[in-house]
Amino acid sequence: GGGRGTGERARRPGAAPRRGWVRDLGALGVFLALACALIWPVVLRGEALLPADYLRAFYPWGVEHPPTEAMPPWNALSADSVLQYLPWRHFARESLRAGFLPLWNPHQLCGTPLIANYQSAVFYLLNVLFWVLPAARAFGVSALLHLFLAGAFLYLYLRGRGLGRAPSLLGGIAFELSGFTVAWLELPTAVNVMVWLPLALHLYERSREGRGPLRGLTTVLPLAMILLAGHPQFALYALFTFGVYTVAHLPEGRGWRDRVWGLAACAGVPLGIALLLAMPQALPMLELSRMSHRSGGSLLMPSSGSYRHQALPFWASVVLFAPGFFGNPARGEYFGPANYAEFVGYAGVLPLILALAALLGPAFPSRRAAWLAALPPGAARRAWFFGALTVAAVAASFRTPLGVLFHSVVPGLGSLGSPGRMLCLFSVAVAALAAFGAQGIIGRRGAAGGEAAGTGGEVPADGSVLAAAAGVIGATGLGLGWSAGLAAGAPLALAAAGLAPGFLGLLALGGAVAWLSTSGRLSPGLARVLLPGLVATDLMAAGWGLNATAPPEMAYPETGITASLRALDPGARFLAMTPRWSLDRYPVTILPPNSATASGLNDVNGYDSLYLLSYKSFLNRVAGGETSPQANGNMVLFQAYAAPEFPSLACRYVLTLDPIADERFELVADGPVRIYRAKHALPRAFLAASPAGDPLPGGEAELTAAGPTRLTAELKGKRGGTLVLLDARYPGWKAAVDGKPVRIEPAREVFRAVRVPEGARQGSFRYEPASFRVGLFLGLIGAGLLAAGVAFACRGARGQTGT
């Protein structure tokens, strides 16, 4: 059975439903208040939820905005919010406001697709915040919204399954403030994907209790948001969970045929429409992925066997019991085996106790009847599902035999990196299980008041299950801490000894409050306040200060160097040197990759989750070695400005900290950062005798841009030959000479060229990728099907009402 609602509304006449809605709104207000408290600098001081102060450690910003004592410690993963997401969001905003879809980014890697990198998430509905607000400020507003939705959507799911308000509130808090949600908050795509999973499960549950082939239409929204939010790895995790959940909770029917048809209506149809809606984003990504560095040549390229190498040893799961076991990255004292966010899934000590109690209670024959009496119909089966999901997520996140099996058998799972990210499912599962456990405690004594659907009167208290759960959690946490201490040596053992009182204190306090609730020593009303309150306090303390903030004006402010480049030639390409890039300390770099996108300049280097393998291979050959730092294979840091092929990059300026003793380079700006003009650099567009040829005398071409996807080259000499454009060649670019379509040929391995006849006046290039056009067509079909389905369903509902 589904347990459609609270059961309370059917029993209370008059104003009871209205009071119920007010209480539910009060719970939603708690989620919003907790979100505001967690990132209070955004709310009270108007700061940006970005570690933008990192720029103070980079040239040229560190010269004009020197580092301060308040600068956050270096966190290579959090830095992606400044180095990737902020430039992408800013560029997309500026393009859309100028009337162009941000299909192509001309500012990095001699041109690279933008929508196709998927994390741009241009079509994600809630990213409208980035298009209407300044990008730096939108990060905080978006984080507030998604924190709220994380709690609200799980609360909605739990309430819909018949749980009381207090247990549902506890579950929502446990997910909203979980280690996963807080640690990934500044990298918006991961959290933006996962917050929609509880809503997808809730709407599926509602649809499986309905009738008709269109009953699953409401589920299209969360499924489409999961696909469009911008992170394929987390989307795969969420959709896999949704699929398994639907199979484990089939719609009602007279036989298997009815149930399978019901599954198609409730899950298959909405998933199919959601996939169509996601095609404008997904098809360009699939096209680029086949040609990207991840298809070969990447330092971070995963394989089906990468799980064994990337998964952390099982003792590292101690962070699920004590998130500060390896130190706090916000205070610069972290010494864990991987980045903190990659394997933190802490959901609170009390939720762990309650989650285990929710599984042990129905499992004990002598306690089963009492626990089931306190839970709504179908709760035990759902609890077992979330219990299995918890075990699977932990086993697959850390190095275990079961994890090896998962990554070998589940299609696509072995091709994903960072298996610890699967703890996002652990966070959802434990939060839901904790709510079921709290219902078993609170619902028992509140049954007469209607908090537990399907119960009546007071159920005898039972503290033995809680005692067993607390004992197992305590022994497991301490055992993992001891194992981690032995594995990493005495310093870690000492750290474990120092952190054990905190874990044991929370264990004792949480267990005591839960036991007092079952024994009757706490009133039901007080228990409904203390249990969620203790979870919120624990998780708020664990996540406090983890997300760095900075004044919005520190998000790529104009400097003397960027102003000089713009004054010299705003359309010229530059190359900035990076003496050192590392994961564990601040890099030494000038205008780090993607700064050009944020500043409206053009860079040879770049940083993207997907970029062209052909371009990477070309730069590797020119440089005579690997152009990606060992710390990050998604980054290109080309350094070989003395290579013979360097002029082919049309790179007119080189930025360096050290002097260049080469007559081919002219110093045009001195200082801590030196700007040199490459006198031998080729122009970005020129007329040559062949695609591989040098510029012909009098073969100038004046390049103008009408937007990121439109380029025009005015030919000065009117002589025939080949128009060479030193921008990256990629499917979807089309060319015309004097308005007549012509074929684009390869030039200098990775660039573009078109044949022009004598007397030609103009060559033009337009980016119109077939992958996007087909994807847009499929997306419109999906939107049409959804609109038709909604109209048909509404018409049917009006017809039934009229009858």
Side-chain angles (χ1 to χ4, degrees):
R4 175 182 288 271
T6 63
E8 184 173 324
R9 298 174 186 169
R11 290 192 296 270
R12 295 185 181 181
R18 185 176 303 172
R19 290 198 300 270
W21 275 107
V22 171
R23 292 172 182 172
D24 284 330
L25 288 175
L28 298 181
V30 171
F31 298 132
L32 182 59
L34 290 174
C36 292
L38 181 68
I39 52 175
W40 63 270
V42 173
V43 179
L44 298 182
R45 296 203 301 233
E47 296 193 352
L49 190 70
L50 291 164
D53 280 334
Y54 282 169
L55 296 177
R56 297 178 184 270
F58 304 150
Y59 292 97
W61 297 281
V63 177
E64 301 180 19
H65 306 274
T68 65
E69 294 182 358
M71 281 185 61
W74 174 250
N75 184 321
L77 189 63
S78 296
D80 285 353
S81 60
V82 174
L83 299 176
Q84 286 190 314
Y85 291 103
L86 177 57
W88 291 339
R89 300 294 187 266
H90 171 76
F91 174 73
R93 176 183 185 270
E94 295 304 306
S95 296
L96 289 170
R97 291 167 74 92
F100 292 92
L101 279 173
L103 299 172
W104 184 264
N105 178 5
H107 300 297
Q108 307 295 156
L109 303 166
C110 294
T112 185
L114 183 76
I115 279 182
N117 79 2
Y118 207 77
Q119 295 190 74
S120 59
V122 173
F123 299 104
Y124 178 56
L125 184 62
L126 299 187
N127 273 355
V128 67
L129 294 170
F130 290 92
W131 319 146
V132 300
L133 298 173
R137 292 188 180 275
F139 277 88
V141 179
S142 177
L144 279 173
L145 177 59
H146 286 89
L147 278 171
F148 167 76
L149 293 180
F153 286 162
L154 187 57
Y155 176 86
L156 187 63
Y157 167 82
L158 295 168
R159 288 288 288 151
R161 311 290 73 76
L163 271 65
R165 291 187 181 87
S168 301
L169 178 65
L170 183 148
I173 291 172
F175 181 44
E176 177 183 11
L177 301 180
S178 67
F180 158 75
T181 307
V182 176
W184 285 90
L185 195 58
E186 289 179 325
L187 303 170
T189 54
V191 174
N192 293 5
V193 168
M194 292 306 301
V195 298
W196 294 96
L197 177 58
L199 182 62
L201 300 181
H202 169 66
L203 294 178
Y204 168 76
E205 287 276 11
R206 292 195 56 168
S207 67
R208 80 185 189 95
E209 296 165 3
R211 293 291 182 268
L214 301 178
R215 49 184 158 159
L217 287 180
T218 55
T219 316
V220 172
L221 173 65
L223 293 177
M225 294 301 99
I226 287 172
L227 288 165
L228 291 170
H231 205 295
Q233 182 176 7
F234 287 99
L236 180 62
Y237 293 155
L239 293 179
F240 174 78
T241 303
F242 175 79
V244 175
Y245 185 94
T246 60
V247 173
H249 302 81
L250 291 173
E252 299 297 330
R254 296 180 180 179
W256 280 105
R257 180 173 296 180
D258 285 348
R259 304 189 80 180
V260 170
W261 278 113
L263 180 64
C266 297
V269 170
L271 182 57
I273 295 177
L275 286 170
L276 288 174
L277 292 173
M279 284 299 105
Q281 187 84 53
L283 283 188
M285 180 204 68
L286 293 174
E287 179 183 54
L288 178 57
S289 64
R290 290 194 299 269
M291 306 171 64
S292 77
H293 69 298
R294 289 182 180 267
S295 64
S298 172
L299 297 177
L300 301 180
M301 184 178 64
S303 65
S304 58
S306 63
Y307 165 79
R308 291 181 176 87
H309 304 290
Q310 297 190 51
L312 296 177
F314 190 74
W315 52 257
S317 63
V318 66
V319 296
L320 304 181
F321 301 82
F325 187 87
F326 298 109
N328 190 323
R331 295 195 293 266
E333 59 187 27
Y334 180 72
F335 55 98
N339 190 284
Y340 181 82
E342 294 286 9
F343 70 117
V344 64
Y346 184 66
V349 175
L350 178 57
L352 287 175
I353 297 173
L354 295 174
L356 187 56
L359 297 174
L360 294 179
F364 286 3
S366 59
R367 311 299 181 193
R368 180 177 175 83
W371 272 86
L372 292 181
L375 296 173
R381 183 175 51 158
R382 295 186 180 93
W384 280 111
F385 171 83
F386 286 115
L389 182 62
T390 300
V391 173
V394 173
S397 297
F398 300 96
R399 199 176 302 138
T400 66
L402 186 58
V404 174
L405 178 63
F406 280 150
H407 283 78
S408 300
V409 174
V410 178
L413 196 60
S415 63
L416 301 176
S418 303
R421 296 177 181 182
M422 198 175 289
L423 289 174
C424 63
L425 302 179
F426 172 87
S427 300
V428 176
V430 169
L433 275 175
F436 287 114
Q439 183 69 47
I441 295 171
I442 300 175
R444 260 198 271 268
R445 303 197 61 80
E451 276 289 343
T455 66
E458 188 174 295
V459 179
D462 177 15
S464 60
V465 172
L466 280 173
V472 171
I473 295 300
T476 304
L478 291 177
L480 287 170
W482 179 75
S483 300
L486 289 180
L492 192 54
L494 293 175
L499 290 169
F503 167 67
L504 292 177
L506 287 169
L507 185 73
L509 180 60
V513 171
W515 182 80
L516 290 173
S517 300
T518 64
S519 65
R521 290 175 173 82
L522 281 181
S523 66
L526 186 57
R528 294 187 185 103
V529 173
L530 284 181
L531 289 173
L534 181 58
V535 173
T537 302
D538 176 14
L539 293 176
M540 188 69 76
W544 190 260
L546 196 61
N547 300 117
T549 61
E553 54 269 21
M554 271 307 300
Y556 293 99
E558 183 79 318
T559 67
I561 294 297
T562 53
S564 296
L565 288 172
R566 193 169 284 108
L568 288 168
D569 186 349
R573 199 168 284 154
F574 70 86
L575 171 64
M577 296 293 102
T578 296
R580 186 191 74 234
W581 194 277
S582 58
L583 294 178
D584 56 351
R585 54 180 173 162
Y586 274 102
V588 178
T589 181
I590 305 170
L591 289 175
N594 295 356
S595 301
T597 298
S599 302
L601 300 170
N602 299 314
D603 190 1
V604 170
N605 295 324
Y607 183 18
D608 209 320
S609 54
L610 293 174
Y611 59 84
L612 284 171
L613 174 61
S614 58
Y615 182 78
K616 164 74 174 290
S617 301
F618 173 72
L619 291 187
N620 284 356
R621 185 183 63 78
V622 172
E626 180 59 55
T627 53
S628 294
Q630 192 66 33
N632 194 331
N634 290 334
M635 193 175 284
V636 172
L637 299 178
F638 182 74
Q639 307 285 313
Y641 58 84
E645 294 92 340
F646 175 74
S648 296
L649 294 170
C651 183
R652 186 166 298 178
Y653 299 100
V654 175
L655 281 62
T656 177
L657 301 177
D658 301 317
I660 296 179
D662 190 325
E663 61 181 9
R664 295 174 301 175
F665 294 90
E666 175 189 4
L667 181 66
V668 295
D670 201 358
V673 177
R674 297 175 171 89
I675 302 179
Y676 286 88
R677 183 174 65 86
K679 294 183 288 185
H680 61 313
L682 293 175
R684 187 174 164 192
F686 58 88
L687 198 64
S690 67
D694 291 329
L696 293 171
E700 294 89 357
E702 182 180 351
L703 198 62
T704 60
T709 59
R710 302 287 186 270
L711 288 172
T712 300
E714 300 292 342
L715 305 177
K716 300 297 184 181
K718 307 295 187 301
R719 60 186 301 175
T722 301
L723 173 62
V724 177
L725 177 65
L726 296 179
D727 283 10
R729 183 168 53 92
Y730 186 76
W733 278 102
K734 298 180 179 180
V737 174
D738 291 338
K740 297 179 180 179
V742 294
R743 186 173 67 89
I744 296 179
E745 302 177 11
R748 297 175 183 257
E749 298 185 32
V750 294
F751 301 120
R752 310 175 212 159
V754 295
R755 305 287 181 175
V756 296
E758 186 174 350
R761 297 176 176 273
Q762 185 186 83
S764 60
F765 297 85
R766 299 167 63 89
Y767 184 55
E768 298 176 347
S771 59
F772 174 72
R773 287 187 283 118
V774 173
L776 184 61
F777 175 73
L778 294 176
L780 292 174
I781 289 177
L785 290 174
L786 179 60
V790 170
F792 186 80
C794 292
R795 180 179 179 182
R798 287 196 300 269
Q800 291 179 0
T801 303
T803 302

